Amino acid sequence: MDATVTAAFITAAAAALGAAPAYAAGRAQARGAHRGPIDAVRRQHQRDAYAELIRAAWQYHASTGAILRVVRVADSARLRPEVLSPEDGLLLLLHTPTCASRSDLVDAFAPRDVPTVFRTALRRIEQLSPSWQQEIDDVNQVDGLLRAEVVVALEGPDQLAELARQIRRHAISVRSRWARVASNPFMPPQPGETELEVPPRVLHTRLEEAIREFTKVARAHLNTH
């Protein structure tokens, strides 16, 4: 091959090799420029999802906390099994889930008089709040929190999705206990109802701790990504 042609080939090859890194760097830069807006939009979606869950969780925590004293007094009205006669216990079970008001008890025990132990327990609750059942029902709504948790599960990452599930789990525990108290505060725990041994205040505190932990991790994630 002619020396001039050979030199031309070598020059062209060298130029191509030199251009390859520049081409690769250009493509990488283009990809980065393309992904920049996408990542910014994703971060904003995550931020919005986290903020909505935190807002909904604190709102539920505050509303259920406002009647925590009512719930604690009503929960303390739960009768021990040894206080109930087998007949009274059966009547309570048959009239669950609505055996909390004075008229409920009258209907449940008719034609007998309502036993003194029930009347005494109900009087304690009514002295604190005559409309205690309605107050519990009014605040015991978690739909917004559950919807927000689903969005966080979709946005991720996995660590925050798991922390969001913990918020949901603790919120449902609060809702279940508040609803149980409102429907039949006198009924002793049934087999399998081990969570009834956990005081309402502890359930409420666990929800608060879950919200704070989610907030801390969400803040760190948004500040580093």
Side-chain angles (χ1 to χ4, degrees):
M1 181 180 292
D2 184 83
T4 303
V5 175
T6 302
F9 273 122
I10 293 173
T11 301
L17 290 173
Y23 175 73
R27 289 202 60 180
Q29 184 176 10
R31 284 197 301 270
H34 176 67
R35 287 221 40 99
I38 295 177
D39 290 342
V41 170
R42 180 169 181 78
R43 281 195 302 273
Q44 186 59 50
H45 286 174
Q46 288 181 331
R47 183 185 303 273
D48 293 344
Y50 303 161
E52 178 57 24
L53 176 58
I54 292 169
R55 184 203 64 78
W58 277 125
Q59 182 179 53
Y60 182 68
H61 178 272
S63 61
T64 51
I67 59 165
L68 179 58
R69 186 183 176 199
V70 174
V71 171
R72 291 174 62 196
V73 171
D75 187 69
S76 68
R78 186 165 10 109
L79 301 174
R80 298 185 304 277
E82 59 268 21
V83 174
L84 289 173
S85 69
E87 182 182 5
D88 291 345
L90 179 60
L91 284 171
L92 276 182
L93 186 61
L94 291 175
H95 286 80
T96 298
T98 54
C99 196
S101 70
R102 193 172 299 279
S103 60
D104 291 337
L105 291 174
V106 170
D107 292 341
F109 288 98
R112 299 165 48 205
D113 289 335
V114 177
T116 302
V117 65
F118 290 95
R119 288 188 279 111
T120 300
L122 183 59
R123 189 180 304 115
R124 288 182 58 212
I125 306 172
E126 290 177 336
Q127 285 175 346
L128 188 61
S129 174
S131 57
W132 62 278
Q133 286 176 289
Q134 189 60 51
E135 289 182 23
I136 294 175
D137 289 340
D138 287 345
V139 303
N140 206 20
Q141 309 296 327
V142 295
D143 292 349
L145 187 155
L146 298 183
R147 286 193 297 268
E149 183 270 331
V150 170
V151 178
V152 172
L154 178 65
E155 292 289 342
D158 291 344
Q159 182 185 16
L160 280 161
E162 174 56 31
L163 292 174
R165 282 191 290 271
Q166 291 181 24
I167 291 178
R168 179 190 65 187
R169 185 164 57 249
H170 290 302
I172 290 176
S173 293
V174 170
R175 181 186 65 176
S176 298
R177 173 62 68 81
W178 270 229
R180 172 71 149 73
V181 165
S183 64
N184 194 336
F186 311 109
M187 175 63 71
Q190 300 303 298
E193 291 184 318
T194 55
E195 195 169 70
L196 288 180
E197 301 304 320
V198 182
R201 180 180 291 279
V202 173
L203 294 177
H204 202 251
T205 299
R206 288 175 180 174
L207 173 59
E208 177 181 345
E209 292 171 348
I211 300 170
R212 293 190 183 281
E213 180 64 17
F214 177 88
T215 303
K216 181 181 72 174
V217 176
R219 182 188 303 114
H221 172 74
L222 292 172
N223 287 338
T224 56
H225 290 81

